[in-house]
Structure formats: structure tokens, C-alpha cells
Amino acid sequence: MRMVVQRVARASVTVENEVVGSIGRGYAALVGAEVGDTEADARLCAEKLAGLRVFEDAEGKMNRSVADVGGAILLVSQFTLLGDARHGRRPSFIAAARPEQAEPLLETMKAMLEEKGLHVETGRFRTHMEVELVNDGPVTILIDSRKVF
């Protein structure tokens, strides 16, 4: 699984003029599932996301997690993170998992994060989403479950 994690002051997802997910301070995580990803990848990404320390402590150092600051997480499925644009002008998305595989993996991630006591909002799978966010910092981190170890 591949994630782009942004520390945000606030973020939301709108589908057909309806806000379907909204958070204040926390992380906006764009998540792409790859062909062959398993629950182990979802678990690893959830652990990394929950433990990521990119909020400042009293000394101004990135040393606090989203839980430490009482933040929330907005998880948004984004298969385009698996786009391969090395050849030609149009990206190939053959590495992206089919929705039938990807959706349960994101649901697993959400459940794992909630088990840790985190508030998690989501986008809506298989829809055109408008994602709005205010990047705080800016801080943007890339996480790939296949490149963690």
C-alpha cells in the first residue's frame, strides 16, 4: 500500500455536494492499494500512521503523534497513487488493486486505527471526490508498505 500523509489544520471530502468526511487537526491520508497487498500491508500502514510523530512538542521538534495532539485522520482511497508515468504521457494503473480488493483493505486500516482510539473519517469509494485540506507546515510524508523494511 502506498500513502501520502499530510499534516493538516483541517480537511474534508465532498461527494455530490455532500460532505462525507471532515476533520480538524490531524492527518489527511491518501491511500492506494496495490495488486497483491494483504491485510499485513494494511496493518503496517495503520501502525505507521498511528505512530507517525510529525506534530511539534513544546520545544518545536516533530515529536508528537496524532493521538498525542488529540487529532483525527481522514482516509481517502486514491488508486492514482499507483500510477506509472515512466513511459508515454498517460499513466498506467495496472499496479493498482481492483476496488473489490482495495476497499476491504482500507476498511481494515480504518478499523485498526479506531481500535487505537483514533477518530477516523473517510471518503466514499468508487465516487468522484473533492478533497479540501489546509496543509499544516507544510508536512507531507510518503509511506509505502513494500519499502518499509
Side-chain angles (χ1 to χ4, degrees), residues 17-37:
N17 297 317
E18 174 193 357
V19 175
V20 296
S22 179
I23 64 167
R25 185 177 195 197
Y27 298 141
L30 307 175
V31 184
E34 191 169 356
V35 170
D37 281 347

Side-chain angles (χ1 to χ4, degrees), residues 36 89 108 134 139 142:
R89 296 176 189 217
T108 296
V134 176
V139 174
L142 303 175

Side-chain angles (χ1 to χ4, degrees), residues 43-59:
R43 181 175 308 283
L44 189 145
C45 286
E47 291 290 333
K48 282 289 183 183
L49 192 55
L52 190 63
R53 297 185 316 169
V54 296
F55 288 94
E56 281 110 11
D57 61 17
E59 289 144 20

Side-chain angles (χ1 to χ4, degrees), residues 13-149:
V13 177
T14 302
V15 175
E16 296 178 2
N17 297 317
E18 174 193 357
V19 175
V20 296
S22 179
I23 64 167
R25 185 177 195 197
Y27 298 141
L30 307 175
V31 184
E34 191 169 356
V35 170
D37 281 347
T38 66
E39 187 174 304
D41 293 280
R43 181 175 308 283
L44 189 145
C45 286
E47 291 290 333
K48 282 289 183 183
L49 192 55
L52 190 63
R53 297 185 316 169
V54 296
F55 288 94
E56 281 110 11
D57 61 17
E59 289 144 20
K61 295 186 179 179
M62 287 188 189
N63 203 25
R64 300 180 77 204
S65 71
V66 68
D68 293 337
V69 300
I73 297 172
L74 179 64
L75 282 181
V76 180
S77 171
Q78 188 167 355
F79 77 92
T80 59
L81 290 177
L82 282 298
D84 183 351
R86 292 178 293 174
H87 306 288
R89 296 176 189 217
R90 185 172 153 240
S92 167
F93 299 105
I94 61 171
R98 301 280 314 146
E100 301 79 26
Q101 178 193 9
E103 191 170 8
L105 291 174
L106 262 74
E107 288 298 322
T108 296
M109 268 188 75
K110 179 179 189 271
M112 290 174 177
L113 291 164
E114 289 174 335
E115 285 172 12
K116 294 180 175 299
L118 294 165
H119 177 78
V120 182
E121 297 274 328
T122 63
R124 189 173 291 158
F125 228 84
R126 299 186 196 196
T127 63
H128 179 87
M129 295 178 276
E130 294 176 357
V131 180
E132 279 188 87
L133 60 90
V134 176
N135 195 319
D136 179 19
V139 174
T140 303
I141 307 293
L142 303 175
I143 297 172
D144 189 320
S145 65
R146 296 182 185 199
K147 295 181 180 177
V148 172
F149 299 108

